[in-house]
Amino acid sequence: MQSWIPLVPDSASTFSWQVDALYFYLSGVTLFFALLISAVLIFFVIRYRRRTPYEIPRPVAGSHKLETVWTIIPFVIAMTMFGWGARVYFTQYKTPADAIEVYVVGKQWMWKLQHATGQREINQLHVPVGRKVKLIMTSEDVIHDFFVPAFRTKADVVPGKYTTLWFEATKPGTYHLFCAEYCGMNHSGMIGSVIVMEPREFDNWLSGNTSNVTPAAAGEQLFQTLGCASCHGTKGEGGRGPALAGAFGKETEIQNVGKVVVNEAYVRESIINPQAKLVLGFGPIMPTFQGQISEDQLMQLVAFIKSLSASPAASPTPNQK
Ligand code: CUA
């Protein structure tokens, strides 16, 4: 999804066009004066150049009329920027009262979100289209910044206090979520997506998936929503974290321990207490999921990781996707 101007991100909130209009106005004024001043500069350099080595310029007398004109015109232009900017600012940061609320906690290096109805998400935010959504945000460690370019809005997420942000998405789709405040080593990896759904689809999502899915398929879903994929790869191919595809049932080299077999117990331990047995060559960057997922969900994750190593025909829990 890309707009027709390559430098402008997708536009998907009620006030994104207002931000764009202001931005183009600022750019236009800047461009106009840059060209005007350059042209006049070049013209004067040529027109009033010194023609003989002993030439003395005529004395210059002040002009109140000229002074007044070039004071008032820039003042009026600056005030239009101030007035317009203030209006857009208040639209963006005055939170409406009738918004649905989502709690957001930033930490190095992930976004944890919880809906008022209890659903938790990591690095993903599902919202309905055409509804006002208010985010109530704080941080567990350092300052982060919640930024959704397509909505043209962002706000700092600060430890020890709550900050808020609101938006109303105007079209369904998946939009980038960035951390826009440098927050340490994996700042650039502190990303996610905002998924805007039709209201009915959103209600279904919110009321939980009650259809019949295998544990492995449910586990795959969890693998995405919990943010595992951001380090272990979408299909478990590995990245900042060890590869999971093909790992189950085999031996792996553990730091300061030696070889261990990747079995259910090891996978479970690595989710609850990731620092206990680190795979050789990887740093202790994985956060614990203790208290964030139930035993059921743990089993689903184990089932998914298991399915990544099974041959399709022999798989006891075939992947539905
Ligand atoms: Cu969090 Cu940058």
Side-chain angles (χ1 to χ4, degrees), residues 28-176:
V29 169
T30 308
L31 192 68
F32 173 77
F33 281 103
L35 293 176
L36 180 71
I37 290 167
S38 306
V40 170
L41 186 78
I42 292 165
F43 173 74
F44 283 0
V45 161
I46 296 166
R47 176 77 174 75
Y48 299 106
R49 70 188 185 279
R50 189 160 69 163
R51 285 154 217 261
T52 64
Y54 306 108
E55 196 178 33
I56 294 169
R58 266 186 298 154
V60 179
S63 162
H64 286 297
K65 211 189 267 175
L66 204 57
E67 295 270 0
T68 310
V69 167
W70 74 41
T71 302
I72 288 176
I73 290 176
F75 174 74
V76 170
I77 293 172
M79 287 314 284
T80 61
M81 291 175 182
F82 170 75
W84 191 349
R87 242 187 89 188
V88 175
Y89 179 87
F90 284 120
T91 311
Q92 277 186 303
Y93 290 100
K94 227 182 117 242
T95 315
D98 56 341
I100 55 174
E101 296 186 344
V102 179
Y103 295 88
V104 180
V105 177
K107 64 176 279 191
Q108 288 167 320
W109 287 278
M110 59 165 62
W111 296 105
K112 299 192 293 183
L113 304 103
Q114 188 168 28
H115 292 261
T117 42
Q119 277 81 356
R120 290 178 184 278
E121 302 191 73
I122 285 182
N123 294 340
Q124 280 196 326
L125 171 61
H126 289 77
V127 292
V129 70
R131 283 288 306 273
K132 297 183 181 82
V133 178
K134 174 187 178 184
L135 307 181
I136 301 160
M137 311 190 291
T138 190
S139 168
E140 268 181 36
D141 37 46
V142 298
I143 301 177
H144 303 280
D145 189 294
F146 195 96
F147 178 33
V148 185
F151 297 164
R152 306 288 191 278
T153 191
K154 64 189 321 195
D156 273 2
V157 176
V158 184
K161 67 175 280 192
Y162 290 117
T163 54
T164 58
L165 190 66
W166 83 275
F167 57 83
E168 180 181 332
T170 50
K171 56 179 181 184
T174 301
Y175 305 103
H176 288 297

Side-chain angles (χ1 to χ4, degrees), residues 199-244:
R200 182 181 297 176
E201 235 183 297
F202 176 73
D203 287 341
N204 285 342
W205 178 86
L206 205 60
S207 61
N209 193 350
T210 50
S211 65
N212 249 338
V213 289
T214 64
E220 183 178 16
Q221 200 71 46
L222 279 171
F223 194 80
Q224 305 299 335
T225 53
L226 291 174
C228 314
S230 64
C231 290
H232 292 290
T234 321
K235 294 183 167 61
E237 70 272 24
R240 281 187 285 141
L244 304 176

Side-chain angles (χ1 to χ4, degrees), residues 21-32:
L22 177 62
Y23 180 79
F24 284 125
Y25 172 66
L26 294 175
S27 306
V29 169
T30 308
L31 192 68
F32 173 77

